[in-house]
Amino acid sequence: MMARAMADNLKPRDAKEVEQAIQWALGNDKTFEVVGRGSKRGIGRAAQWDGTLDLSSLSGVTLYEPEELVLSARAGTPIAEIEALVASRNQQLAFEPMDYAALLGGATGAGSIGGVIAANLSGPRRIKAGAARDHFLGVSAVSGRGETFKSGGRVVKNVTGYDLCKLLAGSWGTLAAMTDITIKTLPKAETEATILALNLTDATASKVMASAMASFADVSGAAHLPAAVAMRIAEIGATQAAVTAFRLEGVAPSVAQRKSVLESLLAPFGSLGTLGEAASRALWQAIRDVTPFAANGVAGKRDVWRISTAPTQGAIVGEALAGATDAELLYDWAGGLIWAAMPATNDAQAPLVHATAAANGGHATLIRAPIAVRAAVDVFTPEQPVLAALTKRVRGGFDPQGVLNAGRMWAGV
Amino acid sequence: MPLLMPLFDDAVLKRRAEIVAALRAIVPGEGVIASEREMRPFESDGLTAYRQLPMVVVLPETTAQVAAVLDFCHREGIKVVPRGAGTSLSGGALPLGDGVLLGLAKFNRIREIDYDNRVVVVEPGVTNLAVSQAVAEAGFYYAPDPSSQIACTIGGNVAENSGGVHCLKYGMTANNVLGCELVLMTGEIIRLGGKHLDAGGYDLLGIVTGSEGLLGVVTEVTVRILKKPQTARAALIGFAASEDGGECVAKIIGAGIIPGGMEMMDRPAIAATEEFVHAGYPLDVEALLIVELDGPQDEVDHLLERVQDIAKTCRALTCRVSNSEDERLLFWAGRKAAFPAVGRISPDYYCMDGTIPRARLPHVLNRMREMSAKYGLRVANVFHAGDGNLHPLILYDANKPGELENAEKFGADILRLCVEVGGVLTGEHGVGVEKRDLMPVMFSEEDLNQQQRLKCAFDGKSLLNPGKVFPTLHRCAELGRMHVHAGKMSFPDIPRF
Ligand SMILES: Cc1cc2nc3c(=O)[nH]c(=O)nc-3n(C[C@H](O)[C@H](O)[C@H](O)COP(=O)(O)OP(=O)(O)OC[C@H]3O[C@@H](n4cnc5c(N)ncnc54)[C@H](O)[C@@H]3O)c2cc1C
């Protein structure tokens, strides 16, 4: 990141000051990098901004009503603070937001709720519970026009006007600076267990995960880790084998019953293992945060891609990438989410990855690569021309002068 | 309530014959309907108080035809109103007299069932129920289940972000749609999402869902299907006071239980439904709660025990649990027939759809009783209790002068009350024309302008379904204008670092 003049780095104390800051930028032809607590600054196209709009002073939970399943917080509130608070009432953020700390290097739990939403984070439970977008009920934000607007509310069922929350989720701060966020909270499962199927190939694992997802087992996590990758996670490393993992959550009698459903389904595929509650939690946290590709681990120098595709295409995408580049792979979301760690190259294999993702009806995001690479290649899969033009018009409606994070997703967006 | 719609464009109306001919060249045969008699069935949707014959009805069969129709209308400056099955309760599909009514009914094929990825690709005119039926033999279903599901279309569901009694656990349409094909007003075709989760780029699919036909015409939808739960059982719980019922709902959720469905009815609704379907509802209670648990047998039995314990602590007067599928369906029969049941005890009824924070329910019900006395109109309440979505049914007689207007005023007061207690104007039925003029109760001018700027990105000429959702129509150029003062606040007093 370039050194910036201190005069251009603003740290507003409240929503009103965010509005003033953006109006100031508009009036003085300045651009901002928008940051919550800065934990995901390394993701996205490398572009240049005049200054930083730091939202970390907007901090604190402003409303939490467990019985109503709702929580509001200022956008810069540490996600760790929110997770601890809801856990104290036996609740959780069901979308299981991942923590990029392992992949990017940095302290865990350092992100803000605003960042979680702006990156539309989720975790293994995405397949059952949805992503941040599905739990994001209301927002107050300042557009790149320097105007405060709100959308949504504090109730789950709401179709009053366009759902701008959906648009802001995953917009990487390019449309508006969010100042206040309301999300849904949900009860934590009483217990959990994980069933492991060992030694499956990627292609077989894909089929097995599909049948598990179509069973009564009500799986809340389905991931496949090839042997070399599985070995880096303590809870399963000792198997020395490829591991396909299935998580079951719920009340004890339910988990027990579904476990037997799953075991009979998996029996024909050879040897099985089980993880109890604590080991299961640790495993899924490692999968969620993609620790096998951690910045401080053996794959730390590799470029890392995140690819979303139809579950049945996962193994096909994985095979194509591994065949061409010696990529290491980790499959989550029943095969639909592929984490690919590739030997570093000066283009991070971007053309190959985007083409492979697109050919399989999905898209890819370059999550980890040196800044020079991220400045040179497409970090997000390019959109078709008509859609790309629409994307630009949408952005123009919120931030016509490109004050906020301009160029972070695509050139000009 | 006098409803102001966009002024008719005389220049367009004068060219009607020519326009009809041009549309016939795009959609041949019976696909263009121009006679008054044949257009009559399209003059209103489920909000029958408002009627308007369209200039012409077009029923295309292919995406290419939709694109050609929109391209033509865009070039000629002709308004277009999309329509699915016309069950909207907010007037979303109300035609415009100088506009094309674009019916998607002929898009009625299921294009692909993909069990491995647990998705179904359908044309927008397929009914909601048909999706579940198509995958039923393999043990799957499509979760959002509006009460209108035998008639309403998936395209309409996407446009309205429709819900149903299972929303609390399984989400609304937005949480169950993965992709769509959309034709923009320019006739350009885009694809959003697909069979994968979380489309790349901006979540335009999330915006299109619930956009009430103002952003584009949906010509294909990819929905997620779920395995049908192994078992479902319901408890029917009666309370002497709505406060007790409300407390029970809060405690169930507080105990970490998210039921598949949790519905409440008040005394007038109970009486009307019981008389109609004889479901065996207790008649001496103020509030009746149906709590349905679904999932593996052991889980359902276990949680049902807990729900019964909670009900006792909330002073339940009666509590029955279903012991067979027939009994469960009987519990639901009353609730599902609530609208027609109320239709039997009153010549007309007006269905409202606000959402409130659940804890405010007793307060809202009390205030509604006061309003009922003030307006001299009865009201029966059915309520998606789990997520705070109220459906007050206001009973009136359209033949009595002034009663419709009174019912509408009563309804508007209820919605204002919903917003006042922290809720919203509409939980699932949409804004349409019905709640359009109430939007400022919930949103500032800035809020609404920002929404309209999004509309401008999709439909810069405001030709698609204008007059719906937004109380004031601004020109896009005017909305886009910036009021920046160079050098303004050169030193705002904000901490720097
Ligand atoms: C008895 C009854 C019960 C109901 N119960 C429920 C319920 O439980 N939950 C609930 O959420 N709703 C309910 N509704 C409301 C209604 O059924 C839903 O809003 C439904 O989704 C509308 O679908 P439709 O096909 O009839 O759409 P229409 O009424 O034809 O159109 C609705 C809106 O969608 C737009 N539209 C339609 N198709 C398309 C398309 N292909 N592309 C773009 N825009 C399009 C139209 O322009 C219009 O704005 C009920 C209605 C009735 C009459």
Side-chain angles (χ1 to χ4, degrees):
Chain A
M1 236 121 306
M2 280 195 16
R4 295 169 190 160
M6 179 180 151
D8 297 339
N9 294 338
L10 272 59
K11 197 167 178 179
R13 287 162 294 198
D14 56 27
K16 193 75 215 162
E17 286 190 352
V18 175
E19 199 182 275
Q20 287 170 357
I22 294 176
Q23 284 172 1
W24 169 82
L26 281 167
N28 293 284
D29 278 323
K30 297 286 185 188
T31 60
F32 281 136
E33 177 190 12
V34 185
V35 272
R37 305 190 85 82
S39 71
K40 289 176 276 295
R41 280 175 107 168
I43 306 179
R45 245 178 112 252
Q48 290 185 355
W49 301 286
D50 299 322
T52 305
L53 183 62
D54 178 328
L55 302 174
S56 61
S57 294
L58 305 180
S59 190
V61 172
T62 50
L63 174 145
Y64 178 37
E65 294 178 9
E67 266 96 40
E68 301 269 342
L69 307 176
V70 63
L71 179 145
S72 303
R74 307 234 185 275
T77 311
I79 189 70
E81 182 182 325
I82 292 175
E83 289 190 317
L85 175 65
V86 299
S88 74
R89 301 297 300 265
N90 253 323
Q91 293 196 334
Q92 62 181 357
L93 308 186
F95 54 100
E96 208 178 4
M98 75 170 295
D99 187 335
Y100 273 115
L103 278 180
L104 301 180
T108 55
S112 67
I113 180 67
V116 163
I117 299 286
N120 190 28
L121 293 190
S122 62
R125 207 183 288 109
R126 170 70 182 91
I127 49 174
K128 180 173 150 79
R133 77 187 279 273
D134 298 289
H135 298 254
F136 183 21
L137 303 180
V139 71
S140 184
V142 184
S143 70
R145 303 170 54 89
E147 293 163 351
T148 298
F149 65 92
K150 63 180 180 309
S151 180
R154 53 161 292 185
V155 293
V156 176
K157 272 186 99 177
N158 177 10
V159 295
T160 322
Y162 300 138
D163 188 357
L164 299 184
C165 293
K166 293 274 185 321
L167 192 64
L168 293 176
S171 67
W172 291 94
T174 60
L175 298 173
M178 295 182 277
T179 56
D180 294 272
I181 282 169
T182 299
I183 53 172
K184 182 161 115 181
T185 62
L186 278 169
K188 215 178 190 156
E190 261 171 40
T191 187
E192 68 174 85
T194 291
I195 315 287
L196 310 173
L198 305 180
N199 285 314
L200 305 185
T201 63
D202 295 4
T204 311
S206 163
K207 294 205 174 69
V208 175
M209 288 192 283
S211 46
M213 292 304 295
S215 75
F216 290 123
D218 195 15
V219 167
S220 69
H224 174 70
L225 300 87
V229 173
M231 244 133 55
R232 294 175 206 156
I233 299 180
E235 285 70 26
I236 53 175
T239 60
Q240 302 274 325
V243 172
T244 313
F246 300 91
R247 178 172 61 182
L248 303 171
E249 294 177 296
V251 291
S254 170
V255 170
Q257 188 183 8
R258 287 181 286 141
K259 201 163 157 245
S260 62
V261 169
L262 202 52
E263 278 165 351
S264 43
L265 187 144
L266 297 174
F269 298 96
S271 79
L272 301 183
T274 306
L275 298 182
E277 191 175 277
S280 174
R281 286 224 162 93
L283 170 66
W284 289 101
Q285 186 164 338
I287 293 172
R288 183 193 78 179
D289 297 343
V290 205
T291 60
F293 301 158
N296 61 4
V298 291
K301 290 278 169 294
R302 290 178 170 236
D303 298 330
V304 175
W305 286 89
R306 179 185 184 276
I307 303 160
S308 176
T309 180
T312 50
Q313 304 310 108
I316 296 167
V317 168
E319 220 159 77
L321 297 182
T325 71
D326 196 24
E328 291 188 335
L329 305 162
L330 187 160
Y331 302 88
D332 195 358
W333 297 358
L337 178 68
I338 306 138
W339 292 98
M342 319 247 191
T345 53
N346 54 15
D347 67 352
Q349 306 282 1
L352 169 78
V353 178
H354 288 308
T356 309
N360 286 282
H363 64 92
T365 312
L366 178 56
I367 298 295
R368 187 177 74 203
I371 191 160
V373 176
R374 286 186 292 109
V377 307
D378 282 315
V379 168
F380 294 85
T381 299
E383 295 181 318
Q384 298 299 316
V386 177
L387 181 55
L390 176 60
T391 292
K392 283 207 167 132
R393 292 198 298 275
V394 168
R395 192 195 207 292
F398 283 80
D399 183 12
Q401 292 196 15
V403 174
L404 307 172
N405 273 358
R408 184 151 187 197
M409 296 179 76
W410 293 286
V413 179
Chain B
M1 176 165 47
L3 181 71
L4 284 176
M5 294 302 283
L7 291 178
F8 283 2
D9 185 336
D10 285 331
V12 165
L13 284 174
K14 273 198 203 107
R15 296 171 48 217
R16 180 170 185 269
E18 179 199 326
I19 291 167
V20 169
L23 292 168
R24 286 217 159 101
I26 299 170
V27 182
E30 295 166 353
V32 175
I33 300 173
S35 83
E36 191 181 319
R37 187 182 54 82
E38 285 175 294
M39 291 199 301
R40 195 56 73 188
F42 298 94
E43 72 178 350
S44 80
D45 58 18
L47 185 69
T48 51
Y50 300 106
R51 293 168 194 278
Q52 170 66 55
L53 274 181
M55 175 171 71
V56 55
V57 175
V58 182
L59 305 174
E61 277 179 82
T62 64
T63 301
Q65 287 176 351
V66 171
V69 169
L70 293 184
D71 170 46
F72 168 74
C73 291
H74 183 249
R75 277 185 284 117
E76 302 293 326
I78 302 164
K79 298 168 192 134
V80 176
V81 177
R83 177 184 168 104
T87 65
S88 164
L89 291 173
S90 54
L94 179 71
L96 297 170
D98 57 349
V100 171
L101 187 78
L102 191 72
L104 279 303
K106 291 189 174 175
F107 277 80
N108 59 3
R109 278 164 300 243
I110 293 183
R111 289 190 177 160
E112 187 191 351
I113 298 177
D114 177 349
Y115 289 119
D116 284 339
N117 287 309
R118 298 163 300 285
V119 298
V120 177
V121 182
V122 297
E123 295 182 354
V126 171
T127 63
N128 173 290
L129 187 62
V131 179
S132 286
Q133 283 171 340
V135 296
E137 60 174 6
F140 284 87
Y141 76 115
Y142 174 58
D145 55 345
S147 313
S148 51
Q149 67 180 161
I150 39 169
C152 67
T153 68
I154 291 293
N157 290 177
V158 168
E160 300 286 7
N161 189 14
S162 300
V165 295
H166 290 102
C167 284
L168 177 63
K169 185 166 175 187
Y170 298 104
M172 314 216 349
T173 302
N175 312 109
N176 289 276
V177 169
L178 292 184
C180 77
E181 179 185 73
L182 187 77
V183 185
L184 301 179
M185 190 62 219
T186 51
E188 294 168 301
I189 302 165
I190 56 174
R191 286 199 157 267
L192 302 174
K195 291 181 179 178
H196 55 286
L197 298 170
D198 302 337
Y202 294 144
D203 187 0
L204 300 181
L205 179 64
I207 281 294
V208 166
T209 311
S211 65
E212 306 198 23
L214 270 73
L215 298 184
V217 176
V218 175
T219 47
E220 184 187 280
V221 185
T222 302
V223 300
R224 291 182 96 180
I225 48 170
L226 299 175
K227 187 76 177 173
K228 218 172 162 53
Q230 207 172 14
T231 354
R233 288 179 72 194
L236 195 62
I237 314 168
F239 300 92
S242 62
E243 282 83 353
D244 296 346
E247 184 186 326
C248 187
V249 170
K251 281 194 173 162
I252 289 172
I253 289 173
I257 303 169
I258 301 293
M262 185 143 64
E263 295 289 306
M264 199 151 123
M265 289 188 269
D266 69 357
R267 185 186 273 268
I270 301 164
T273 53
E274 181 56 21
E275 197 182 293
F276 184 35
V277 297
H278 310 293
Y281 290 171
L283 292 170
D284 51 354
V285 297
E286 281 302 320
L288 186 66
L289 194 61
I290 305 175
V291 182
E292 177 164 292
L293 294 152
D294 59 8
Q297 182 86 48
D298 292 3
E299 171 179 327
V300 169
D301 294 350
H302 175 86
L303 294 179
L304 209 48
E305 292 279 326
R306 285 209 209 162
V307 166
Q308 291 176 77
D309 290 343
I310 292 170
K312 273 185 215 131
T313 69
C314 299
R315 301 162 297 282
L317 292 181
T318 64
C319 182
R320 281 167 58 199
V321 296
S322 68
N323 284 308
S324 68
E325 188 58 9
D326 284 349
E327 197 174 11
R328 181 183 75 89
L329 293 174
L330 189 63
F331 285 5
W332 277 109
R335 167 61 185 92
K336 294 221 159 166
F339 291 10
V342 166
R344 282 173 80 240
I345 60 166
S346 170
D348 299 285
Y349 68 88
Y350 182 32
C351 174
M352 307 308 297
D353 167 51
T355 305
I356 57 168
R358 271 187 317 263
R360 307 309 303 275
L361 178 68
H363 170 74
V364 168
L365 288 179
N366 283 335
R367 289 277 301 276
M368 244 190 263
R369 249 170 249 137
E370 290 164 23
M371 291 178 194
S372 168
K374 172 181 157 195
Y375 286 103
L377 295 173
R378 289 178 294 163
V379 60
N381 266 291
V382 296
F383 181 45
H384 301 301
D387 34 37
N389 187 197
L390 296 169
H391 289 317
L393 303 170
I394 300 171
L395 281 50
Y396 72 98
D397 182 350
N399 287 327
K400 290 195 188 147
E403 274 217 348
L404 168 64
E405 289 71 21
N406 243 356
E408 287 184 334
K409 277 190 205 138
F410 185 178
D413 280 355
I414 293 176
L415 296 183
R416 280 192 201 97
L417 173 62
C418 290
V419 175
E420 183 190 308
V421 301
V424 299
L425 293 172
T426 171
E428 57 182 15
H429 293 169
V431 176
V433 295
E434 186 203 23
K435 284 151 257 175
R436 186 191 72 184
D437 296 337
L438 287 172
M439 288 289 269
V441 174
M442 196 168 141
F443 294 114
S444 71
E445 200 181 330
E446 270 322 317
D447 301 339
L448 290 172
N449 285 350
Q450 193 50 57
Q451 294 194 30
Q452 290 199 53
R453 286 190 195 102
L454 183 61
K455 159 82 171 162
C456 291
F458 281 82
D459 174 21
K461 291 192 189 172
S462 283
L463 291 171
L464 202 53
N465 218 359
K468 317 291 171 70
V469 182
F470 298 109
T472 336
L473 281 178
H474 295 290
R475 301 176 66 88
C476 288
E478 179 194 328
L479 284 167
R481 213 164 285 149
M482 293 273 287
H483 305 278
V484 179
H485 309 290
K488 186 182 157 204
M489 282 195 299
S490 23
F491 293 105
D493 178 28
I494 300 170
R496 287 175 157 78
F497 57 96

